[in-house]
Amino acid sequence: MSRSLDGEGESTMNRKRLRRDCESTINPNVVIDENSTDEDDNEQSADVENGPLALILDNRKVLHCSMCDGHLTVPIFQCENGHVACSFCCITLKRKECYSCQSTIGSSRCLAIEKILEVVRVKCQNSIYGCKETVTYSKMHDHQIYDCYYAPCSCPISDCKFVGTSRHLYQHLSGEHNNSVVKFQYNNFFKITVNIDGKFSVLQEEKNDDVLFILNNNTGSLGNLVSVCCIASVRKDLYYDIVARCVTGTTLKIQSSTWSSKVRSDIPSPFGFLLVPPYMFNCNGQLELEICIWGPGETPADWLSAKQLK
């Protein structure tokens, strides 16, 4: 028994020496300590096995869903032939069939890929705009869409191709389109004239430089749909009031919260809008609105009262 163990130990030592020789041949900068003990080698092996490993993906789509081609996120499912799909596709599919082979999918998890996504760390794709975060692959999509303060925003002015963080966009509008924006201050009502033909207006708070606002004025079959949204790298939930009055004495009012986006959209806010009928516009097709946008952390008093009544 003793001879067998000694022989095994000698064989193990020979394998380790061979490994060190190979490392020295591959990388001449590696310094080999001929006096190192087996315990040293075991500690080094443990460090290598438990430490980080640099990987390069030649094709990033290997970590994409085979159905929607979006980023895979946990949980991940696989069919009997090994094709993987994201949970969203598996939940929304009426027929639980793999797009690649038509076999059943949606009941078996792919734990191996899930483990990879939980430990692989990637740089934020917004690094070109200044982000220095590295996040796990499974959280990359949420970080870049919802949490990254360097997410790019597009200039809302027609024919302008500028793209940058919301702070850089604010500075861009102040320098390049200063005559095309309406200045205002948080928590104070200001007046603005809108046209019945449905043009939008860009609103810029005088002191806060990380968000812009768009007064959307969409035309509909029953009148104009007026709402406020914000353009920002990170979602902003801010309250606002809109009051519309006409010479006949009719007054319309809405209290709502801003819808956040990184580009200007002509779609009415899903959080609500003020429907202004055509008769409220004057003979020139114009109507003066009173607007108040409440600052971060501020809530209108009557909004709080309405919540308390509920």
Side-chain angles (χ1 to χ4, degrees):
M1 180 68 68
S2 176
R3 289 178 57 187
S4 174
L5 287 175
D6 291 341
E8 183 178 354
E10 182 177 355
S11 175
T12 301
M13 291 177 63
N14 289 334
R15 286 198 301 270
K16 290 179 178 178
R17 290 195 185 98
L18 178 60
R19 185 190 65 194
R20 290 201 298 266
D21 292 342
C22 291
E23 290 175 348
S24 178
T25 302
I26 295 173
N27 186 356
N29 294 321
V30 174
V31 178
I32 305 298
D33 184 2
E34 296 294 344
N35 297 320
S36 63
T37 64
D38 290 347
E39 293 182 358
D40 294 335
D41 287 336
N42 291 335
E43 290 178 359
Q44 292 176 3
S45 298
D47 290 341
V48 171
E49 292 176 0
N50 298 328
L53 176 66
L55 297 174
I56 297 178
L57 286 178
D58 291 331
N59 186 355
R60 186 175 294 182
K61 288 196 173 184
V62 297
L63 297 180
H64 282 202
C65 174
S66 62
M67 297 186 180
C68 67
D69 199 37
H71 296 288
L72 286 172
T73 56
V74 177
I76 302 169
F77 295 90
Q78 64 179 350
C79 71
E80 61 185 19
N81 292 317
H83 302 119
V84 296
C86 65
S87 57
F88 178 80
C89 287
C90 293
I91 292 172
T92 55
L93 278 177
K94 292 183 179 179
R95 299 178 63 183
K96 307 300 182 182
E97 290 185 354
C98 173
Y99 281 10
S100 300
C101 63
Q102 284 72 55
S103 62
T104 303
I105 193 170
S107 57
S108 298
R109 297 271 292 274
C110 185
L111 300 180
I113 298 295
E114 288 185 8
K115 288 181 179 179
I116 291 176
L117 298 190
E118 290 293 343
V119 298
V120 170
R121 300 186 68 84
V122 294
K123 288 184 177 180
C124 175
Q125 293 182 354
N126 298 326
S127 59
I128 60 175
Y129 299 105
C131 184
K132 298 180 180 179
E133 291 287 331
T134 58
V135 295
T136 58
Y137 191 92
S138 61
K139 297 180 179 179
M140 178 182 65
H141 178 266
D142 286 349
H143 167 76
Q144 293 176 170
I145 299 300
Y146 305 113
D147 302 327
C148 183
Y149 284 89
Y150 295 89
C153 302
S154 300
C155 181
I157 303 299
S158 302
D159 300 324
C160 182
K161 305 300 182 182
F162 179 86
V163 176
T165 66
S166 51
R167 180 158 294 168
H168 289 155
L169 180 58
Y170 183 100
Q171 296 169 356
H172 165 76
L173 281 166
S174 298
E176 300 295 329
H177 309 292
N178 193 48
N179 295 329
S180 301
V181 301
V182 176
K183 303 284 186 178
F184 74 95
Q185 293 180 346
Y186 282 141
N187 309 331
N188 291 293
F189 275 92
F190 62 96
K191 296 181 179 181
I192 185 171
T193 301
V194 295
N195 298 308
I196 198 171
D197 60 5
K199 293 181 179 179
F200 70 93
S201 302
V202 181
L203 313 177
Q204 191 174 42
E205 212 279 332
E206 293 182 356
K207 297 180 180 179
N208 193 299
D209 65 350
D210 65 346
V211 62
L212 291 168
F213 297 89
I214 303 294
L215 178 65
N216 281 321
N217 179 22
N218 307 101
T219 57
S221 58
L222 299 178
N224 288 50
L225 315 178
V226 183
S227 61
V228 175
C229 71
C230 67
I231 297 180
S233 295
V234 176
R235 176 176 172 176
K236 304 285 186 180
D237 293 321
L238 303 178
Y239 297 105
Y240 68 88
D241 292 70
I242 300 179
V243 180
R245 296 186 176 91
C246 69
V247 293
T248 61
T250 301
T251 300
L252 300 177
K253 180 179 180 180
I254 185 175
Q255 282 188 329
S256 187
S257 57
T258 57
W259 175 41
S260 294
S261 177
K262 295 175 177 60
V263 296
R264 188 188 69 80
S265 174
D266 290 325
I267 301 175
S269 171
F271 295 163
F273 51 82
L274 181 67
L275 176 61
V276 182
Y279 73 83
M280 294 193 68
F281 291 84
N282 62 24
C283 58
N284 295 320
Q286 295 181 327
L287 175 66
E288 187 176 74
L289 301 177
E290 299 174 32
I291 300 175
C292 179
I293 300 177
W294 300 88
E298 298 287 343
T299 304
D302 44 357
W303 183 287
L304 289 174
S305 299
K307 283 189 174 183
Q308 291 173 356
L309 290 176
K310 291 181 180 180

